[in-house]
Structure formats: C-alpha cells, structure tokens
Amino acid sequence: MFEKILIANRGEIAVRVARTARLLGIKTVAVYSEADRGALHVESCDEAYLLGAAPPRESYLRGERIIEIAVRSGAQAIHPGYGFLSENEDFARACADAGLVFIGPPPAAIRAMGSKSESKRLMAAASVPLVPGYHGEDQDDALLHAEADAIGYPVLIKASAGGGGKGMRVVERHEEFPAALGSARREAKSSFADDRVLIEKYLSEPRHIEIQVFADTLGNAVYIFERDCSIQRRHQKVLEEAPAPGMSPERRAQMGSAAVAAAQAIEYVGAGTVEFIAEQSGTFYFMEMNTRLQVEHPVTEMITGLDLVEWQLRVASGERLPLLQDQLRIRGHALEARVYAEDPERNFLPSIGGIAHLRTPSPAAAVRIDTGVREGDEISAYYDPMIAKLIVHGEDRPQALRRMADALTHYQVVGVNTNLEFLHRLVTHPAFAAAKLDTGFIGRHQEALLPKNVAPDATVVASLALAELEFARAAARRVAQSSGEPNSPWFAADGWWLNSDNHRIFSFEYQGKPLLVTVHFCGTSYLIDLPEISLSATVAAVGEGLRVNLDGEEFLCHCVRSGEDRILYRQGRAWRFRHLDALTHAGDSGGGGGHLTAPMSGAVISVLVKVGDLVSAGQALLVMEAMKMEHTIVAPGPGRVLRIAFGPGDQVKDGVELLELAAAEAA
Ligand code: ADP
C-alpha cells in the first residue's frame, strides 16, 4: 500500500479521498488554487501546495506542475478525483512516466472510452447492447441524414467527443435534420474542438441506469450493482439512488454482466461506471463508460457497506479486489441529493457568494454529508457550485425517502440561494414516491416542483414575529445576567411598561412588501394580529429551533438571523424576510425622547401611531419610502408621542423632523 498520495482535486471529493487515506494510514498531499487558500480540502490533508490562480487552467488543470509537486513531496500516487484531470489520458501517461501511480484506469482504457463513437464500436464488438444508431467515421451530411431516416424519428444527434449534454440535439422530423446537425456540429466544435457526431434513436421516457464496475490488475472484475440517475435537469443528474426501483435480479445480472464485458473489452482497471439508457420495459442499451469514480458513488457505498476509494487505493497498489461477485450484497436503499448553490427561480443560475450561516442535519450511520465547504466559505464562480452531497440510507425506499425529506428540512444555508426546497419538493412528490422515474420527470412536474409566488401565509409571518420576540427575550436575558440585576423589570422583554395592552409591533419586509405584526402579551400566551387574521399562540425554544402553536396547530420552525435578514425555515421551506426596525437611522435618539428625522428624502407611506400613544423601544412609528426602498422609523426607547409632523403621502426632505417623542421617564 502507498505511504503518501497526492489528491489532484478540490472540494468534497478531495476531502472524501483524504478521509479514506487517513483511515488506511496513508499521508495526503493537497493542491489548491489561490481561491482555495484555507479551504476544507487543504485542511484535510497533511501537506498542501499552491498551484496558481483560481481559474482551473492556471491551477487544477496544470498536470505538469501537479506531477512536479507529487515527486517533490515524495507521494507515490495521484488520485485525480472526478472532473479536472481524471479522464485525461495524457495526464495518466505523464504520471507513469514520472514514476507515479495514476489511481485510475490505464491510459489506453481512458482513450477507448473518450469518444462516444469509438466506444460504441468497441462495445458492439463485445456484444454489449447499443441504442440503434450510426457511429461511423464517415461524416458526410447526406449520409448522416439518410442514416437518421433509416433509424426513424425522433433521433438524437450527439457529439462524439461530448460530455455534459453539450452538442446534443433531438430531431423530431426529416426536414429538421440539416439545421439540427449544423447546430450540434458548431457546439461540438466550440466545446471539444471536434465536430464529429453520432446519431441514435431518441428513446421516449427512458431511465438512466448505470452500473458500478471494478477491476483489478490480476484479471478480476465485478459489478457493484446499479444506480438509478433518471432524475435529471437538462441531462444533468440531480438525485441518484440505489438500487434502481423495480430492478429484477435477472435484469440486474444481465446489466451487470454487460457492464463487466464492457470493462473487460478495454482491459479496464479500477473504478468505472457503465451508463445505460433503459426503456420502461427494462430493455437497456450502452450509452457510455466513465473511467473514474462518479459523483454519486456514495449511494453504492451505502447499500453495500464498501468504501470504493479504499478499493481504488488497494487496486492501484496492485492488490486483488477485496471481494468477488458472489460476496457482494445489497442492503436497503440509498438516495443522494446534490445540494447546489443555485437559484431555481432564475433558471438554476449558479448563486455566488459567501456562506454566512450553515447548519446541516446531524451525520449518522444513515445520513452522510460529503462536503468541501464550511460556514464562512465562498462559493466562487470558478468551480462547480456544489455545496454538498446529502446521502441517506433506509431499510427500504420509503424509509430512505422519509429520511431524505427530513434531512433536507434540517439543512440551512444563508448567503447564497440553494436548490434545497426544490429537492424537498422532489423527494416528497407523489410520483417520485411511486418511483415513476424517467429522465423527463423534472420537466413534466415543473409546475409542482417550481411553484410560482408562494408567498408566506399568516402562520409563517406569525412564527417569524414569535421568533423575533424570542431573540429579544434571549438578548434581554443576557443583558440582565451581565447586569447583576437579573430580575429587574427593566430587562424584561415582554412589553410590561405599556399600561393597558402589552404588545409589540414588528415590522418586516417580504420581497419588497412591508408586513406589520402586532404581538399582544396575554400571560403565558400571545395574540398575534396580522392584517387579515388574529391567531392565538404559544412558543417554546427547542434546541436552536422553536416549537410554535398557532390556534392549536403545532409545528417546529427555525429562524436564522443574518444582519437584517431573517430566514424562517419550516417543513422543508424557507422564506427570507428583512427585519426593518434595525434599518432605521432616525434622528438623535437620546434615551427614548427627542426628534426623529427623515434618514433621506422620500415619501411618508404610513403613520402607525397617534399623538399621545405610549411606545416601546423598537416599536415601528412611521414608514417612509426612499429610493424604492422602505424605511421604518422606530422608537429609540420607550416614550410618548408628542407630535407627528407628516401624514401618508407627504414628501419629506432628508433631515426634517418627522415625529417628536418624550422619553418614558418624562411622560
Ligand atoms: P453526456 O456525456 O453529454 O452527458 P450522455 O450520452 O451521457 O451525454 O447522455 C446524457 C443524458 O442524455 C442521458 O442520461 C439521458 O438522459 C439522455 N440521453 C442520452 N441518449 C439518449 C437517447 N438515445 N434517448 C433519450 N435520451 C438520451
């Protein structure tokens, strides 16, 4: 076994490889870009070396420099992870030339599977079933068109050198073929500098089922069962599971044997994945082979109890496969969700920024989190914006599904947008629970998965106000404890100083709209006034969350504060509000009395108090609008309203007096 390896990758996969290496007593060398100084993967390794600037070309793709570092640091092998240099034949060869072991297949196997057309010709020769199609060398337009006609429409044009869904075009009719061919070629040329294409039958409602294979240098090869990756968005995987729902043992053995035949046909060594496309009937066809560890390998680990990185390291150091085919078993069901920093409401655009707050479900035997980011880290524009892979195991699929839904409700990310709610809707969708899977699932259920304008209802807004109250109460307790007078009524946060009706008014904003919530204190419970409804409530803190009861309905929720932002989490959903009281910079505030002035020129929208009213600290008094933003003027301390200078609709200039308050003592 190796004593030291270099991990030529970043993020969760580098952290994950380092973890297994440590378990096996292998020292690890990290490499990193300037954007990744202090990243988790750097901390996870024993040594770390800077590669260069953030763009991959100047860092993680610098094969020569990586090899130089490996040699200098005394590493014996390089683990490439996935992406970057993992399927680069030249890099694999350069490692060998430098006397290093490339933890992956031989360069020739990478080359054999590098071209979709070439690999299909090889697979046909090995009797692996292929989607009916044309994979020939001759790229004449008229010939391709005639081949498409012979296959029968719809057909799919694919770039031979393709990957990531690029250079792929569905053609529905004979007449559309020439234009689609032209555009597929242009995209292939610009993405892969190779405009060769292949054509195949376009299957309707297919499933993506892939087989994990493993081979050693001694001629042993096994399949470690299948993963269903049918839940895709634009041909990119979103959710993966193992085993594939509805897979019969006979079909599994057929697909497994076909995958092993594919691997043996190219003298494969190490971990690989043979991807098949399957019709609903179960008939399956070879699509491509990925000659590396896959992102979704943890679902296979969860149902087998194996560590595939350990297998990779053993095989690369010349050991025999730890287990042979008849020693492999499936136990239970596993699901993986890819948690991404992206914005589902804006067509899943990557969401770049700092992670201000991060809470994950607690890792356990049945809940695994593979991640490379921590609270405070940046999601940069240079790399894949994946935050984590959340993997769960269950005794069966329904249990795994419930665990996934529950785990997703315990995931909180503030600072970037995420697909967490989208994932929650996906795993709780009845059609997903019924395993009606195909690659068109997301497109077909778009409406349910991406509902428009789901504004927070009264119970959400009421919960938010209760959470805010709990924050104020906790803050008051802290002040009281440090004051030496823990029982002083001056530190009570229950609004006692108001004479008849003890209440507090909270002012929030949701997507630019103001929300005022009045919370009345009624002994141990509350009455919450919202514009359209009043709710009676109790609230209790449980851990970092709150158990809220509203008119008899009880639920758990969490509220996270980040500056003026308030993010309320409840049952897999999150709503982002702004707390307006903290926004105000009104006038001189001396002790609750004084003159409250306009922080900027604008218009008064509403006045929330009357002359003579007693007000509490932080109570919203007046709302104004300036530069398309709303500003709430709040009472700097307890007091009485002496004068109100303006009414709704009035234009005011920066610095003019809006209200006059008398401090509570003088009132
Ligand atoms: P890439 O390497 O660009 O990701 P693949 O060949 O792996 O391309 O295909 C990606 C996805 O495209 C598959 O998972 C499947 O959803 C879809 N796909 C591929 N081939 C077909 C086909 N013949 N019919 C229908 N869908 C297909």
Side-chain angles (χ1 to χ4, degrees), residues 116 120 131-132 155-156 158-159 161-168 170 192 200-209 229-230 232 234-237 275-277 285 287-288 290 439-440:
K116 287 189 202 291
K120 284 187 173 156
V131 185
V155 298
L156 186 61
K158 280 187 189 179
K166 291 213 179 70
M168 253 168 45
V170 180
F192 315 108
E200 58 188 36
K201 176 95 195 134
Y202 184 68
L203 306 180
S204 68
E205 304 192 346
R207 283 168 71 178
H208 174 119
I209 298 179
C229 312
S230 300
Q232 308 182 340
R234 303 220 183 134
H235 306 305
Q236 301 284 342
K237 298 162 188 168
E275 297 191 330
F276 293 102
I277 190 154
Y285 310 100
M287 208 159 33
E288 64 172 350
N290 289 324
T439 59

Side-chain angles (χ1 to χ4, degrees), residues 295-313:
V295 176
E296 59 275 21
H297 75 277
V299 290
T300 300
E301 297 186 322
M302 291 292 253
I303 60 158
T304 56
L306 304 175
D307 180 334
L308 296 187
V309 173
E310 177 187 342
W311 278 46
Q312 284 190 298
L313 292 166

